[in-house]
Amino acid sequence: MATVLFRPTFDFDRPVWVPALRQGLTGHDVRIAPEETGDPADIDYLVLWRLTAGDRTGWPNLKAVLSLSAGVNQFMGHPEMPDVPLIRMIEPGLEHGMAEYVASMVLRFHRDHDRLRQEQDDKRWTPYIPPLATARTVGFMGMGHMAQACIDVLKPFGFALRGWSRSPRHYDDVECFSGEGSLSRFLAGTDILVCLLPHTPETENILNRQTLAQLPRGACLINAARGRLLVDADLLAALDDGHIARAALDVFHKEPLPSDHSFWIHRNIVITPHIAAISIPDTGALSLKKAIDQLEQGEKPEGLVDLTKGY
Ligand code: NDP
Ligand code: OXD
């Protein structure tokens, strides 16, 4: 039996995560910080969204940190990161949520719902032949767990699918590109770009004036990765000049997005408050249990983060 300390951060953590962890982490001693912390030397695993002061040295027998989020950029280079393995969240609820979010935005842009809503406001009736999904290419930057779930949902519509990753990947019915050298070719054939890369030093600002310009005129962008992958001013310029038609943004440099940010009032931007996908407590707790059990048995959990790559 291991001792697992969960530190709540968000309002929903106590009502939903605490019962899910108590139920899911069977066979382990689950404690809730701060009231049940007890002796810091008892703690084997920390389950949390982010680090706080004292984490680096405060847990003398710590075996691993388990992140409740899939993205772990908030742990990278953090002065309070203890010298133990970091495990990120990989769980089916998160993947399902991302697939729903991305599919809904892809279909919204593909079927031009925002323009049609404007026509309704103007009481305009203009029939036309909407292109089918087979005429549209959806390109994924990042071909990991999140992108795979989205691809599985979009494939039956008939979209042409392509993806770009760091190392070569192979997926049936997906045109795969890898490495920096192929980025412009990947972008040049993408009508709807979905960014699902982790935030690392290599990916920071990757959605910038040059890369956006490599997309075909009229392309759309969905950024559900991290805000710092996007140069905000470059997107605004590309939208204003019509090169990018629309953007759906779930993540931002600063969250909550400041009320004076130009994104809020841009007619061709859809904003969501970092809810594209959130770990689901029931399934997330089972995935934490699996990871902890594997660590206890000396095995490598799937979500073990490669600290040299940063994801
Ligand atoms: P994975 O680690 O499974 O996949 C990451 C993918 O990005 C891999 O294909 C990887 O390439 C690729 N990649 C990484 N660095 C580079 C690079 N420099 N150049 C090209 N490709 C690169 O991550 P997930 O799919 O689970 O999650 C991706 C990100 O999505 C998270 O890091 C997080 O930031 C974000 N996210 C956002 C959520 C939201 O609600 N908005 C929810 C969940 C996640 P390779 O295959 O070669 O390793
Ligand atoms: C995550 C997120 O990375 O919620 O899991 O953004």
Side-chain angles (χ1 to χ4, degrees):
M1 181 178 77
T3 302
V4 182
L5 183 69
F6 169 52
R7 190 161 60 219
T9 296
F10 298 107
D11 290 344
F12 54 75
D13 281 341
R14 282 180 184 276
V16 296
W17 271 102
V18 170
L21 291 173
R22 291 212 199 277
Q23 196 177 350
L25 294 182
T26 46
H28 299 299
D29 174 13
V30 177
R31 301 186 187 177
I32 311 305
E35 66 274 19
E36 298 173 0
T37 305
D39 182 352
D42 293 346
I43 306 303
D44 297 306
Y45 298 100
L46 285 178
V47 170
L48 33 76
W49 297 98
R50 54 181 76 130
L51 297 161
T52 58
D55 279 340
R56 181 156 180 83
T57 52
W59 316 102
N61 296 314
L62 195 67
K63 297 177 183 168
V65 172
L66 293 104
S67 163
L68 283 169
S69 58
V72 285
N73 49 289
Q74 70 275 30
F75 296 91
M76 293 298 145
H78 194 294
E80 291 293 348
M81 180 63 202
D83 203 5
V84 293
L86 172 64
I87 318 298
R88 73 189 191 93
M89 182 60 87
I90 298 180
E91 68 94 9
L94 196 50
E95 291 167 20
H96 192 131
M98 186 60 84
E100 287 183 1
Y101 178 86
V102 167
S104 64
M105 291 301 173
V106 165
L107 289 170
R108 175 182 182 149
F109 291 155
H110 164 59
R111 292 303 301 246
D112 227 352
H113 282 299
D114 296 284
R115 184 183 63 75
L116 291 165
R117 174 68 233 191
Q118 186 58 55
E119 299 234 321
Q120 180 178 340
D121 289 346
D122 300 343
K123 300 199 172 88
R124 263 187 292 139
W125 179 273
T126 325
Y128 70 107
I129 302 178
L132 293 179
T134 46
R136 204 83 82 180
T137 299
V138 182
F140 289 85
M141 284 177 99
M143 290 280 278
H145 292 78
M146 294 296 137
Q148 280 177 49
C150 301
I151 285 169
D152 289 346
V153 167
L154 289 172
K155 208 183 265 188
F157 284 99
F159 288 106
L161 298 166
R162 54 172 50 197
W164 179 73
S165 54
R166 186 171 148 123
S167 53
R169 294 251 176 172
H170 174 78
Y171 295 119
D172 288 345
D173 307 320
V174 180
E175 194 179 355
C176 296
F177 299 76
S178 60
E180 262 178 65
S182 69
L183 181 57
S184 32
R185 267 192 307 122
F186 160 79
L187 291 171
T190 293
D191 299 312
I192 301 177
L193 178 65
V194 183
C195 184
L196 285 171
L197 289 165
H199 176 202
T200 67
E202 289 86 51
T203 63
E204 182 155 329
N205 295 334
I206 197 165
L207 300 169
N208 58 40
R209 191 164 60 84
Q210 286 88 355
T211 50
L212 294 174
Q214 285 163 2
L215 290 163
R217 191 167 181 80
C220 295
L221 168 69
I222 299 168
N223 183 17
R226 285 292 180 263
R228 287 174 65 186
L229 273 59
L230 174 67
V231 181
D232 292 0
D234 291 358
L235 174 64
L236 287 168
L239 283 164
D240 291 343
D241 138 274
H243 188 75
I244 299 295
R246 296 186 192 279
L249 306 176
D250 184 57
V251 286
F252 304 91
H253 284 240
K254 191 161 188 299
E255 297 180 4
L257 182 64
S259 58
D260 60 351
H261 198 292
S262 318
F263 284 170
W264 279 115
I265 52 165
H266 201 290
R267 53 186 291 118
N268 293 337
I269 293 181
V270 183
I271 287 174
T272 49
H274 199 145
I275 47 71
I278 300 192
S279 305
I280 302 297
D282 292 351
T283 44
L286 295 180
S287 141
L288 291 169
K289 160 133 173 83
K290 185 173 174 195
I292 289 169
D293 289 348
Q294 287 175 314
L295 287 163
E296 286 293 290
Q297 283 152 24
E299 295 166 16
K300 267 192 188 177
E302 191 185 11
L304 180 67
V305 174
D306 180 338
L307 298 173
T308 57
K309 286 201 292 187
Y311 66 96

